Amino acid sequence: MIKVGITGGIGSGKSTVCTLFKMLHVPVYNADIEARALTNNDAKIVAGVKGLFGEDIYQDGQLNRAKVGSLVFNNTELLSKLNTIIHPVVASHFQNWLFKHQYCPLIIKEAAILFESDGHKQMDKVITVSAPEALRINRVMKRDALTKEEVESRIKNQMSEEEKVKMSDYVIYCNDVELLIPQVVNLHKELKSLS
Ligand code: ATP
């Protein structure tokens, strides 16, 4: 099995690219969505997070992510404690998913923080989805109804696209110039040839 990580900055087009791979019957594990669901539903995580921040950090079964964000912002010790609670559960969830897909020749893990979480070390190949910053800002403003400043501050908190590209095996350009589908089809062919 060839394990491929897909990463990229906010609004770069990761999910769009993954939708195309899914249409080519490649199973995709979306690490951000799964981690979010586990943070709300996994009993071990819920107990750990409540122990760290108090019972009222969950409202109607949903973690108050904005509050957690503001509490761990600039508090690396608290952030590391939070990661120690969440990461092992998410890692084992991914391992179970991998086991279920063990007979697939090719699988994809989509993760915004693939490099930051060292997730790339478990992958055979990594793809970065790249798009110009101005385009990414416009896309996310439209998609999430955020202001330009709000998107810019999220971008500032992420690893730069340049660094991600340097650490990747492949780049998919998801912009207004290059055609996306042929890039995905060609890369799919190449990745399948490795398996
Ligand atoms: P995030 O990290 O914020 O979840 P992402 O990298 O997964 O974002 P997408 O959700 O795939 O990015 O794309 C961001 C927005 O841009 C979406 O609304 C999507 O429909 C749009 N988009 C992505 N690629 C293109 C494209 N090639 N042309 C037009 N719109 C696009």
Side-chain angles (χ1 to χ4, degrees), residues 7-19 30 32 110 112 129 135-136 138-140 142-144 158 173-176 178 180:
T7 191
I10 181 168
S12 56
K14 296 179 291 299
S15 298
T16 305
V17 166
C18 285
T19 300
N30 186 317
D32 304 326
E110 174 187 352
V129 180
L135 188 57
R136 290 165 50 204
N138 272 332
R139 285 174 180 170
V140 179
K142 260 191 228 157
R143 186 192 60 187
D144 299 341
Q158 295 187 329
Y173 297 94
C174 184
N175 53 34
D176 286 342
E178 274 107 329
L180 188 58

Side-chain angles (χ1 to χ4, degrees), residues 50-154:
K50 281 184 178 171
L52 202 57
F53 299 109
E55 288 281 326
D56 61 357
I57 201 71
Y58 283 87
Q59 277 139 20
D60 302 323
Q62 302 283 310
L63 180 65
N64 185 338
R65 299 173 64 86
K67 193 166 171 196
V68 171
S70 67
L71 290 169
V72 300
F73 188 70
N74 281 337
N75 188 336
T76 46
E77 200 188 326
L78 203 55
L79 177 62
S80 134
K81 280 185 185 162
L82 179 65
N83 284 338
T84 309
I85 295 167
I86 296 175
H87 281 175
V89 178
V90 176
S92 104
H93 187 264
F94 177 57
Q95 288 307 321
N96 285 339
W97 184 89
L98 273 183
F99 183 73
K100 278 188 207 147
H101 293 87
Q102 61 185 305
Y103 300 115
C104 298
L106 176 65
I107 64 92
I108 285 176
K109 180 182 190 181
E110 174 187 352
I113 54 160
L114 187 73
F115 291 120
E116 297 88 329
S117 64
D118 270 349
H120 64 295
K121 292 183 181 163
Q122 287 184 303
M123 300 293 121
D124 300 302
K125 297 287 176 194
V126 175
I127 303 169
T128 287
V129 180
S130 162
E133 191 168 303
L135 188 57
R136 290 165 50 204
I137 292 170
N138 272 332
R139 285 174 180 170
V140 179
M141 284 171 67
K142 260 191 228 157
R143 186 192 60 187
D144 299 341
L146 293 174
T147 65
K148 186 166 186 266
E149 291 69 32
E150 285 170 325
V151 184
E152 282 171 343
S153 93
R154 281 164 173 74

